[in-house]
Amino acid sequence: EAGVVQSPRYKIIEKKQPVAFWCNPISGHNTLYWYRQNLGQGPELLIRYENEEAVDDSQLPKDRFSAERLKGVDSTLKIQPAELGDSAVYLCASSSWGGANTGELFFGEGSRLTVL
Amino acid sequence: QKEVEQNSGPLSVPEGAIASLNCTYSDRGSQSFFWYRQYSGKSPELIMSIYSNGDKEDGRFTAQLNKASQYVSLLIRDSQPSDSATYLCAVFLSSGSARQLTFGSGTQLTVLP
């Protein structure tokens, strides 16, 4: 079974430029999460989807961040414009319905963003 | 006060020793508890879950939960150099329609050959 797939793995941009990250969850997993992990810290939730509905986006900086999950499968996280403080690893995770009710998540390899 | 606190380490143990990793959490309503392992440059990988008070053993790993003390621990017996990684404690809380998995900052473990 394929795991959570993310792209790109690495991205280097200058500040004020836009950037987008893509995620394909494990087949059959209806819950999808975007986390941000700063160096030396644990992951912090940005947004959680159940199917195509964003059910928790309270930690998403909505002035510059946006996300979508069309058709309830793949998801895209966008930052526009990027700031220096956005440099981090952006992790996508998915869970089954049961996993979403217990907290068992499966993570992708992450997208490492460097903003210069 | 952080919701999930871990000793940041780094923690070093010799090969074959027992590594003990600790975690405390602030919300008494927390329901599920997890340990994720994260190798350098890699994504977190779930290695243990525990839902009720007591011990849960899986191979060389034992998770311990004490809800009264709001304390979770992970013991790694017969530590191997391949166990060298950052271990993240995660705590799950479900309330109404809200579901929240909160991670600690992680403890970096080094197992010395």
Side-chain angles (χ1 to χ4, degrees), chain B residues 14-31:
Chain B
E15 184 174 356
I18 296 175
S20 178
L21 306 166
N22 303 316
C23 172
T24 59
Y25 59 94
S26 60
D27 196 319
R28 286 195 170 273
S30 299
Q31 296 146 310

Side-chain angles (χ1 to χ4, degrees), chain A residues 9 35 37 40-43 48 50 56 91 100-105 107-109 112, chain B residues 2 32 34 36 38 41-44 46 49 51 88 92 97-99 101 103-105:
Chain A
R9 291 292 313 279
Y35 281 84
Q37 187 173 24
Q41 300 296 314
R48 175 171 65 94
E50 289 184 7
D56 184 356
L91 294 164
N101 286 290
T102 58
E104 296 185 15
L105 274 57
F107 284 88
E109 289 293 319
R112 182 178 298 274
Chain B
K2 285 188 176 180
S32 311
F34 304 90
Y36 284 79
Q38 187 172 27
K42 298 295 186 180
S43 60
L46 179 63
S49 58
Y51 305 100
L88 299 164
F92 181 75
S97 61
R99 311 274 187 273
L101 183 68
F103 287 85
S105 297

Side-chain angles (χ1 to χ4, degrees), chain A residues 24-109:
Chain A
N24 181 248
I26 292 173
S27 178
H29 281 192
N30 62 324
T31 305
L32 183 146
Y33 313 75
W34 283 102
Y35 281 84
R36 177 170 58 189
Q37 187 173 24
N38 291 307
L39 188 64
Q41 300 296 314
E44 295 178 328
L45 181 68
L46 292 174
I47 189 167
R48 175 171 65 94
Y49 283 93
E50 289 184 7
N51 299 308
E52 59 274 1
E53 182 182 0
V55 295
D56 184 356
D57 63 355
S58 57
Q59 302 301 313
L60 188 73
K62 297 181 182 63
D63 57 336
R64 297 183 300 105
F65 286 65
S66 64
E68 62 182 10
R69 191 183 185 199
L70 300 176
K71 300 181 181 179
V73 181
D74 296 1
S75 177
T76 302
L77 178 69
K78 298 179 181 178
I79 308 174
Q80 181 171 12
E83 297 179 352
L84 295 177
D86 296 331
S87 294
V89 176
Y90 291 84
L91 294 164
C92 179
S94 71
S95 64
S96 63
W97 182 88
N101 286 290
T102 58
E104 296 185 15
L105 274 57
F106 296 85
F107 284 88
E109 289 293 319

